[in-house]
Amino acid sequence: MSRFLVIAPEGIHTTRAADDLAQCLSAAAPLSRMSAFAGTDLTSAAASPERALPLAVEAVRACDSEYVLIEGVADVALHLFDTFDWNLNLAAATQAHVILALDTEGYSADLVAAEIRTARMRAQKHHAQLSAVLLPAAMAQAVSVDDVHILSLPLTDESRATLTGLTPPSAVTPLTFQANLVDRARSDRKRIVLPEPEDDRVLKAAAEVLQRGIADIILVGDEVAIRQRSEQLGVDVSAASVVAVDDPVLHEKYAAEFARLRQKKGITIEQAREKVRDVSYFGTMMVHMGDADGMVSGAAHTTAHTIVPSFQIIKTAPGVSIVSSIFLMLMADRVWAFGDCAVNPNPTPEQLADIAISSAYTARQFGIEPKVAMLSYSTGTSGSGVDVEAVAEATRIAQEKAPELAIEGPIQFDASVDEAVAATKLPHSTVAGHATVFVFPSLNAGNIGYKAVQRSSGAVAVGPILQGLNKPVNDLSRGALVEDIVNTVALTAVQAQNSSNAS
């Protein structure tokens, strides 16, 4: 599938250019045509672009034709609404090629080339790709701009070959990642248990998950109270299953299994019955026994309250010695994975190696090609000390256990992401300058690191995502927004898909 978004600064030429493109492309394969306001409208977009743009992105991505042609928004009466910004943000989020149509009457070739370069720079600032420019034949022959195809009007078979042969835009914006995540979750719907429906954010998130078809939802609580509260909030969770912790069949089944799992710890059946009345234990037992595929909790409970039951019940996956976490850092045009920033205070070299391998596996689950940087205050052999030696040992162990992974360490953060620094400090490394997975030497460093990047760059931090468990359980921040809960349900569903495939 290829997407094209056509825009013209003058506005009135957008539809004409879109007509030409539609005629050209549809001769090769089925084409869908739509407005850049699909899924929303001008009033909504102007009032709240951060709410309206995801709706437009979802509408564009719902088209499954071989070619999708998006007619960019032309100039509007609202002077404070920047249509060019809207078009470029939509193109970036949907990974659509930007096609610029220019009316060049009265302009010199130099001025037209300057306009194209300005448009290309503006597109780059939005992480969109200006791929081609449509010009009248005489001007097309006179203008040349690096990295932009100049196409002559009317479009020809050669123009079509150029357009259909374009390399897809590779930038992954936060909206792109979240849309990809939702699509993945929808492709094989899983049952996610939410044990905190007394929290209004959880009910609102459950309603959105159900409405968007992201996952099937199981709520743990009193059905009458849940239905009444959802009606008061004006949200629809009627499609959710509701179970109570005192359900006579499930309660006894879970108590018996928990007593079996913990018998070496001296847990009696009576103690087990009491324990599984706790919503976190009940929800975790649902996952363990296959009555749910994953659990999301923590909006109203502590991290320990959410994850301790998973350590006791679900336990670690084969070959994994430690449960850890990563944050997916949704940068402006790419996604990084940071681990461990939430669970293990001072991992040993052996544990750090397992965290690196788990982080690489999790990154790959979410479409990130793992290039693992084992972070330290020193790069290569330039420094010494106990902390550096621990990271060096962890790197050695990780390379030995997973020789197929690209792992570098010890390495400083700048050398892991900056090609110029990498060329000086580690010129022959395949990871330096291109890292995507960053393993911090301690919880102290990791928590500081992810929050520093999040707050200074505006990155969206998705997580913490627990990794290393047999089945997925994920913790929420008690300050989580509804959007955060929806995202966490989606990523838990994707983890569950991978768990099913692995088994």
Side-chain angles (χ1 to χ4, degrees):
M1 175 187 292
S2 297
R3 302 185 182 103
F4 304 89
L5 190 149
V6 58
I7 55 177
E10 296 84 0
I12 60 173
H13 303 287
T14 304
T15 300
R16 188 185 311 161
D19 289 341
D20 290 344
L21 281 165
Q23 183 176 356
C24 176
L25 292 168
S26 61
L31 177 141
S32 292
R33 184 170 172 178
M34 61 199 312
S35 164
F37 274 153
T40 185
D41 53 51
L42 171 60
T43 301
S44 301
S48 181
E50 67 280 359
R51 288 179 175 269
L53 188 59
L55 299 177
V57 170
E58 189 152 342
V60 169
R61 291 174 65 100
C63 288
D64 57 2
S65 297
E66 183 68 22
Y67 300 125
V68 178
L69 181 60
I70 309 160
E71 189 171 329
V73 178
D75 291 335
V76 296
L78 295 174
H79 298 300
L80 295 181
F81 182 74
D82 192 327
T83 57
F84 210 62
D85 274 10
W86 175 271
N87 291 328
L88 292 176
N89 285 334
L90 180 61
T94 57
Q95 295 179 307
H97 295 283
V98 177
I99 311 297
L100 179 65
L102 293 177
D103 178 10
T104 62
E105 185 176 354
Y107 288 85
S108 68
D110 287 342
L111 281 175
V112 171
E115 178 125 353
I116 294 171
R117 284 191 289 269
T118 299
R120 183 183 61 188
M121 290 175 60
R122 191 168 179 186
Q124 289 171 343
K125 288 181 180 178
H126 289 263
H127 309 289
Q129 180 176 312
L130 176 60
S131 297
V133 179
L134 310 185
L135 297 176
M139 186 61 74
Q141 294 175 0
V143 172
S144 177
V145 177
D146 291 343
D147 300 323
V148 179
H149 293 280
I150 307 298
L151 302 181
S152 176
L153 293 170
L155 298 174
T156 63
D157 291 346
E158 184 179 351
S159 304
R160 180 168 59 249
T162 297
L163 291 168
T164 58
L166 291 170
T167 301
S170 59
V172 179
T173 69
L175 273 181
T176 306
F177 178 83
Q178 290 171 39
N180 287 341
L181 185 66
V182 167
D183 283 350
R184 288 271 304 278
R186 282 175 176 155
S187 69
D188 179 15
R189 281 175 63 157
K190 295 299 180 182
R191 302 160 300 166
I192 306 302
V193 58
L194 304 177
E196 301 169 312
E198 70 280 0
D199 190 300
D200 289 350
R201 294 168 297 169
V202 172
L203 281 180
K204 291 176 181 177
E208 183 172 341
V209 167
L210 293 166
Q211 185 270 323
R212 295 172 66 185
I214 295 171
D216 295 323
I217 293 297
I218 304 168
L219 301 172
V220 178
D222 179 83
E223 183 163 10
V224 173
I226 289 170
R227 303 300 183 196
Q228 287 178 345
R229 185 55 183 161
S230 64
E231 288 181 12
Q232 292 169 354
L233 293 172
V235 299
D236 182 7
V237 294
S238 58
S241 299
V242 180
V243 297
V245 293
D246 57 0
D247 178 283
V249 176
L250 293 179
H251 181 263
E252 192 60 28
K253 180 173 76 168
Y254 295 163
E257 174 64 5
F258 185 75
R260 185 191 69 80
L261 290 171
R262 305 293 289 172
Q263 61 184 348
K264 291 183 179 178
K265 299 292 183 180
I267 298 296
T268 64
I269 186 64
E270 290 78 14
Q271 291 171 321
R273 288 181 180 126
E274 184 60 32
K275 184 65 75 173
V276 297
R277 291 186 186 280
D278 182 291
V279 292
S280 287
Y281 278 90
F282 189 91
T284 305
M285 287 302 303
M286 291 193 79
V287 176
H288 169 68
M289 301 201 72
D291 295 327
D293 299 305
M295 183 178 84
V296 173
S297 187
H301 293 91
T302 65
T303 294
H305 191 260
T306 297
I307 67 175
V308 167
S310 66
F311 296 165
Q312 296 177 354
I313 297 166
I314 294 175
K315 302 182 180 178
T316 58
V320 178
S321 67
I322 189 170
V323 174
S324 58
S325 73
I326 66 166
F327 279 89
L328 297 180
M329 304 298 293
L330 312 188
M331 311 300 287
D333 63 345
R334 70 198 67 194
V335 181
W336 285 342
F338 282 12
D340 174 5
C341 305
V343 178
N344 299 288
N346 293 294
T348 65
E350 292 78 10
Q351 291 172 331
L352 200 60
D354 271 3
I355 290 170
I357 295 169
S358 292
S359 297
Y361 173 73
T362 302
R364 186 172 278 123
Q365 282 185 314
F366 294 102
I368 305 167
E369 183 58 33
K371 295 186 177 182
V372 184
M374 306 291 284
L375 296 177
S376 176
Y377 61 77
S378 173
T379 295
T381 58
S382 65
S384 60
V386 174
D387 292 337
V388 176
E389 291 167 5
V391 174
E393 176 65 5
T395 303
R396 184 194 66 77
I397 295 169
Q399 290 171 334
E400 188 176 273
K401 293 182 72 172
E404 74 284 0
L405 288 178
I407 303 176
E408 186 68 69
I411 185 171
Q412 292 161 287
F413 190 86
D414 58 349
S416 67
V417 299
D418 189 304
E419 291 184 39
V421 176
T424 300
K425 294 188 174 184
L426 285 173
H428 304 298
S429 172
T430 59
V431 173
H434 305 281
T436 57
V437 178
F438 303 83
V439 179
F440 290 84
S442 68
L443 179 59
N444 191 38
N447 197 268
I448 292 170
Y450 102 79
K451 288 185 176 179
V453 171
Q454 177 189 31
R455 298 300 179 184
S456 62
S457 71
V460 177
V462 178
I465 303 168
L466 292 184
Q467 55 189 9
L469 289 167
N470 268 313
K471 295 183 179 181
V473 170
N474 281 305
D475 178 44
L476 296 165
S477 163
R478 278 175 283 175
L481 303 175
V482 171
E483 179 187 12
D484 299 327
I485 301 173
V486 172
N487 283 338
T488 304
V489 169
L491 65 86
T492 304
V494 171
Q495 285 182 302
Q497 292 170 358
N498 284 279
S499 295
S500 298
N501 294 337
S503 60

